[in-house]
Amino acid sequence: MDFSEGYMSNEHQEQFRSASESADPYSVSPLQISTSPKSPKSPRSPRSPRPQQGIHSPLKNQRHSNSKRDGRPKKDGCGGKGTWGGLLDTDDDCFLDLNDPNYSSNEEDKNSIAKKRNSSFEEYKKKAIIIVEEYFANDDAISTANELIELEMPCYNYYFVKKLVSIAMDRHDKEKEMAAVLLSSLYGNVIDPPQVYKGFQKLLESTDDLTVDIPNAVDILALFIARAVVDDILPPSFLTKAMGSLSEDSKGVEVIRRAEKGYLSAPLHVEAIERRWGGSKNKTVEDLKFKINNLLIEYVVSGDVKEACRCIKDLNVPYFHHEIVKRAVIMAMEKRQAENCLLDLLKRASEEGLINSSQISKGFGRIIDSVDDLSLDIPNAKVILQSLISKAASEGWLCASSLKSLSLHSRNQVVEDSTIKSFKTKIQSIIKEYFFSGDISEVSHCLESEKVSSVAELNAIFVKKLITVAMDRKSREKEMASVLLSSLCFPSDYVVSGFTMLLESAEDTALDIPGVVEDLAMFLARAVVDEVLTPQQLEEIGSEFSGSDSIGNRVTRMATSLLKARLSGERILRCWGGGGSCTSGRTIEDVKDKIGKILQEFESGGETREAYLCIKELGMPFFHHEVVKKSLVTIMENKNERLWGLLRECFSMGLITENQMFNGFTRVALSLDDLALDVPDAEKQFKHYVERAKAEGWLDTSFGVNASEHALDNGFCK
């Protein structure tokens, strides 16, 4: 639009003239006002001659630009060239004018800081991915640590944690184990604890996205979190705090529940989690205890603290350092002359961060729990332990919580009676409500709120009360009690204590329940079939009732005979009309048929992970010997060893136990005569696979040529 004398006052012309003179000639062309009369309209043509130098206000219809951008207004009436734009539109290309009266230097500083931060984070992301991939390629933790330090951006290390785990989740077990080991080695020295915490929090928040590409992401991430807790790089409180920050329908909630219930609550969970991805295969608990004992003995003789610390570091079992604390303190209690040097070792290890405070507290806590047994061998064990704890606390390497647990320990018996009475009243209503609703998760939640898992005796009392109440009910409640017992995943020692208490009070129970012997024997046998108890633990329970006339002895003998009967697993499983926790209404033939289809599909080219999940989803761990049997028979018939790899995977992941392997091989041994009709060299092949199974660690070395005799002894049929 042009501005003639009739459209603009002199004052306005002067303002525009001054503005054009102050503008930057390199950024904006000066605005010139023409005072000539309006030109007549002329048609727009690309070949029209350029206007004269003195005329700088072409008509509206003649206005055009060499720019490729369309100058017309947008559909909504804003944003085109020559328009004001939308009310809320912002221009990313705008700049701050120093001559603007509203100019603020703080605004420029904030914008520049934000841009630098974004660019540095993007740079960190790219480099972090490269570092992770290089680590998986060369397995060099030291080089990885140095590269992270060289980035000099510790505030973004949470992203490295997240990326390392998320990439490993979609790789093999080797990479998963490498990721867990790397996090443990970087923790504290390279990556600060809050960054590790934040990294796992981000992983939980992105679980829904991870499941799109990784079908079993929930299970894998739960195992990573459980491993982090075991390795002491995540506090146990992370589970409860993270749960509160997630929405109820988030997959992250499932991850936390799986980690807590499926892994961290399982018996011997530390060793199981540590070996899940093939880590520490050559380290058994007994081996470690033997090495720790030798280490301490050598240290007492030599007094070389530096060498002892080096040996502790070389063990590379930070989750098991509580055993070092326990053995060192007990040795100090037994050999008073070695007390000072042993305490000096623990102090030095604590100061150097070799043994963390939680492991020290756990070690002392284990001694407190067993102090009554120690008193049998060490006179005044409680007094000596009290003095050692006081000394350690005064030197600052033992936390106050350990002292508190010890100081209250002598008064626990007074509180314990009232606690047990209150607990018995509560579990009575919990059990009755469970028999009415059948809600296992609600029972688990109620027991958690009562903190049952932290007190061994309360677990045993619950087992006793559950079975006692069920024995006075119908078969439905007995089946529900067995299902609940196998679902709660109590440590097997607590279940043993519960059954021992049941047998001790069996004579009184018999006054109200005449068939107590048969019911208790069936409950014991069912616990073995459901793998809540091992056959060795059943023998352990029986050894405590050696009297031939005692009810306890009769019960254990009857349970043993039930387990030795032919088809014992199927019969015991269906004794009360049920079929396990997840198999209601399912017959054994149906399960056999499903197992056959799973193996057939896998042999024809299926994925190992998919077959593993299908076997797991059957929910019948006591029947996994059928998987072993069918796999062996198929291998011998088709001369295809692909199924052997599946068995290896299932055994390494803990899905098929050593007991189920033994049962599966014995069943094949029993059917060798029939199998030889179709496979002439069946016996020769079987011997070969038995030796391979021994080498793999699936079978005990006692499993020999006469395996069929073992099968008959254990009551298996073809």
Side-chain angles (χ1 to χ4, degrees):
M1 179 176 179
D2 61 344
F3 298 96
S4 64
E5 293 179 357
Y7 290 93
M8 177 172 286
S9 65
N10 293 330
E11 182 181 355
H12 287 170
Q13 292 181 28
E14 183 64 25
Q15 288 178 356
F16 274 96
R17 190 175 294 108
S18 62
S20 64
E21 291 173 355
S22 63
D24 185 359
Y26 294 99
S27 59
V28 181
S29 58
L31 179 65
Q32 299 184 20
I33 309 299
S34 173
T35 57
S36 63
K38 294 183 180 179
S39 302
K41 292 184 178 180
S42 60
R44 182 175 180 179
S45 172
R47 299 185 180 180
S48 298
R50 295 181 58 133
Q52 297 179 9
Q53 190 171 358
I55 301 174
H56 296 277
S57 298
L59 292 174
K60 181 177 181 180
N61 291 338
Q62 290 178 323
R63 187 180 304 161
H64 63 90
S65 170
N66 293 325
S67 171
K68 294 181 180 180
R69 295 178 57 185
D70 188 0
R72 291 174 294 174
K74 295 181 183 177
K75 226 175 187 182
D76 54 2
C78 61
K81 184 175 180 181
T83 66
W84 289 102
L87 181 62
L88 299 178
D89 286 353
T90 58
D91 189 358
D92 293 336
D93 298 328
C94 67
F95 61 92
L96 296 174
D97 187 359
L98 298 178
N99 297 320
D100 191 337
N102 294 321
Y103 168 77
S104 173
S105 60
N106 292 335
E107 184 178 355
E108 186 173 9
D109 293 340
K110 289 179 182 178
N111 289 341
S112 61
I113 291 172
K115 289 180 179 179
K116 288 180 180 178
R117 187 176 299 160
N118 290 336
S119 62
S120 61
F121 184 45
E122 291 300 322
E123 181 185 357
Y124 181 93
K125 283 182 177 181
K126 296 176 183 177
K127 292 183 178 179
I129 295 172
I130 295 172
I131 293 172
V132 170
E133 294 292 351
E134 286 181 354
Y135 170 68
F136 286 148
N138 56 36
D139 194 13
D140 189 349
I142 296 175
S143 176
T144 303
N146 291 333
E147 288 177 0
L148 272 179
I149 294 171
E150 289 172 2
L151 290 179
E152 295 182 348
M153 288 185 272
C155 60
Y156 299 138
N157 280 343
Y158 72 88
Y159 180 81
F160 178 82
V161 175
K162 177 186 175 184
K163 203 64 186 175
L164 175 68
V165 174
S166 60
I167 292 177
M169 286 172 64
D170 201 25
R171 302 289 182 91
H172 297 294
D173 286 350
K174 176 190 173 185
E175 284 78 9
K176 294 184 181 75
E177 177 65 20
M178 288 172 64
V181 171
L182 180 64
L183 286 177
S184 182
S185 62
L186 298 179
Y187 178 79
N189 298 324
V190 180
I191 302 179
D192 294 331
Q195 293 291 314
V196 176
Y197 192 103
K198 185 177 179 180
F200 277 99
Q201 181 70 41
K202 294 287 186 183
L203 281 165
L204 286 173
E205 292 171 359
S206 60
T207 308
D208 294 287
D209 297 330
L210 290 172
T211 52
V212 175
D213 300 319
I214 309 171
N216 55 341
V218 171
D219 188 64
I220 298 174
L221 184 54
L223 188 52
F224 263 111
I225 290 175
R227 176 66 178 268
V229 173
V230 165
D231 288 345
D232 283 325
I233 65 175
L234 274 183
S237 59
F238 171 82
L239 301 174
T240 54
K241 290 181 180 178
M243 180 79 80
S245 64
L246 298 169
S247 60
E248 294 183 0
D249 58 345
S250 170
K251 292 282 186 183
V253 175
E254 294 182 30
V255 171
I256 295 174
R257 288 174 180 163
R258 183 77 58 86
E260 193 171 10
K261 306 294 181 189
Y263 294 114
L264 294 173
S265 299
L268 300 175
H269 65 273
V270 172
E271 292 82 358
I273 292 171
E274 184 71 17
R275 296 184 182 187
R276 191 62 180 269
W277 292 320
S280 302
K281 280 186 177 178
N282 299 322
K283 298 177 184 175
T284 65
V285 176
E286 293 304 319
D287 290 340
L288 287 172
K289 288 181 178 179
F290 179 75
K291 289 181 180 180
I292 290 169
N293 194 55
N294 286 344
L295 183 157
L296 294 174
I297 292 173
E298 290 178 8
Y299 166 69
V300 170
V301 174
S302 66
D304 190 344
V305 179
K306 188 175 181 180
E307 178 64 18
C309 288
R310 187 191 66 79
C311 292
I312 292 173
K313 190 173 183 179
D314 288 345
L315 287 176
N316 195 27
V317 284
Y319 63 89
F320 205 58
H321 283 169
H322 56 81
E323 182 70 19
I324 299 174
V325 177
K326 177 189 173 186
R327 287 181 176 269
V329 173
I330 292 176
M331 190 177 289
M333 294 169 66
E334 292 174 338
K335 302 176 180 179
R336 300 307 303 278
Q337 68 274 14
E339 174 184 318
N340 290 331
C341 71
L342 287 166
L343 292 182
D344 287 342
L345 173 62
L346 294 178
K347 180 182 178 182
R348 177 76 172 271
S350 174
E351 289 174 347
E352 293 184 357
L354 191 59
I355 302 178
N356 60 40
S357 59
S358 65
Q359 290 291 310
I360 292 174
S361 300
K362 189 174 181 180
F364 273 95
R366 290 179 62 197
I367 300 172
I368 292 169
D369 292 337
S370 61
V371 71
D372 292 329
D373 296 332
L374 288 173
S375 299
L376 301 176
D377 301 321
I378 306 172
N380 300 322
K382 290 184 180 180
V383 177
I384 298 172
L385 182 58
Q386 178 67 56
S387 66
L388 294 178
I389 289 180
S390 300
K391 186 175 181 180
S394 64
E395 292 177 353
W397 53 274
L398 181 62
C399 63
S401 60
S402 298
L403 286 174
K404 184 178 180 181
S405 64
L406 179 65
S407 63
L408 294 175
H409 188 68
S410 59
R411 290 177 283 177
N412 272 349
Q413 297 300 326
V414 179
V415 181
E416 197 172 325
D417 294 335
S418 60
T419 302
I420 289 175
K421 288 180 182 178
S422 173
F423 180 69
K424 284 182 177 179
T425 305
K426 290 178 181 177
I427 61 172
Q428 183 81 17
S429 61
I430 291 172
I431 292 169
K432 287 182 178 178
E433 186 176 343
Y434 166 68
F435 286 153
F436 177 75
S437 65
D439 191 346
I440 295 175
S441 60
E442 180 63 24
V443 177
S444 178
H445 176 72
C446 292
L447 292 178
E448 280 180 10
S449 63
E450 296 296 327
K451 298 182 179 179
V452 175
S453 59
S454 60
V455 184
E457 189 172 353
L458 295 185
N459 282 278
I461 290 172
F462 181 82
V463 173
K464 178 189 174 185
K465 193 67 178 177
L466 173 67
I467 295 175
T468 302
V469 174
M471 285 193 298
D472 201 25
R473 301 287 186 98
K474 296 180 180 180
S475 294
R476 173 182 174 272
E477 285 77 11
K478 292 172 184 174
E479 173 67 18
M480 291 177 70
S482 290
V483 170
L484 178 62
L485 195 59
S486 63
S487 301
L488 290 177
C489 297
F490 282 152
S492 57
D493 291 342
Y494 301 164
V495 180
V496 169
S497 300
F499 274 105
T500 303
M501 293 168 64
L502 272 167
L503 296 179
E504 287 173 349
S505 61
E507 293 185 4
D508 296 333
T509 309
L511 300 176
D512 301 319
I513 307 172
V516 66
V517 174
E518 292 78 7
D519 284 346
L520 276 178
M522 190 59 74
F523 269 112
L524 266 174
R526 177 65 180 270
V528 174
V529 169
D530 287 343
E531 297 193 349
V532 176
L533 295 176
T534 64
Q536 290 78 11
Q537 287 171 327
L538 177 59
E539 294 177 6
E540 179 186 331
I541 295 171
S543 64
E544 297 187 19
F545 303 93
S546 56
S548 58
D549 296 333
S550 67
I551 291 182
N553 182 268
R554 288 160 55 193
V555 169
T556 53
R557 283 192 290 110
M558 183 177 290
T560 303
S561 64
L562 286 171
L563 290 167
K564 285 187 176 182
R566 296 171 69 85
L567 296 174
S568 59
E570 293 88 339
R571 289 176 177 175
I572 293 170
L573 179 68
R574 302 168 69 180
C575 62
W576 291 309
S581 59
C582 302
T583 57
S584 179
R586 185 189 299 172
T587 66
I588 296 300
E589 292 304 320
D590 291 338
V591 178
K592 286 183 177 180
D593 184 56
K594 287 195 173 185
I595 290 173
K597 289 179 179 178
I598 292 170
L599 298 180
Q600 184 179 2
E601 183 178 344
F602 173 77
E603 190 188 22
S604 61
E607 294 184 0
T608 304
R609 181 187 296 178
E610 183 66 25
Y612 170 86
L613 292 175
C614 289
I615 295 171
K616 187 176 182 180
E617 288 171 359
L618 288 174
M620 300 184 75
F622 55 87
F623 203 59
H624 284 167
H625 55 78
E626 178 70 16
V627 178
V628 179
K629 180 198 170 187
K630 283 187 177 294
S631 297
L632 279 173
V633 172
T634 305
I635 290 170
M636 289 190 287
E637 286 179 342
N638 299 341
K639 303 292 191 298
N640 184 354
E641 295 196 358
R642 196 164 191 270
L643 285 168
W644 188 268
L646 177 62
L647 291 179
R648 182 187 293 113
E649 177 72 12
C650 292
F651 184 81
S652 64
M653 297 293 285
L655 183 63
I656 298 180
T657 63
E658 190 173 341
N659 185 47
Q660 291 296 313
M661 280 288 187
F662 175 84
N663 293 342
F665 271 86
T666 51
R667 289 183 63 196
V668 175
L670 190 62
S671 62
L672 279 177
D673 292 337
D674 294 338
L675 190 59
L677 299 176
D678 299 319
V679 185
D681 61 340
E683 186 174 354
K684 181 181 178 181
Q685 286 195 62
F686 179 70
K687 289 180 181 179
H688 167 71
Y689 288 117
V690 165
E691 294 304 318
R692 283 186 61 180
K694 289 179 182 179
E696 298 264 10
W698 302 352
L699 295 177
D700 189 74
T701 53
S702 61
F703 194 101
V705 178
N706 297 324
S708 58
E709 296 179 5
H710 295 294
L712 292 170
D713 291 340
N714 286 276
F716 286 104
C717 67
K718 300 176 185 178

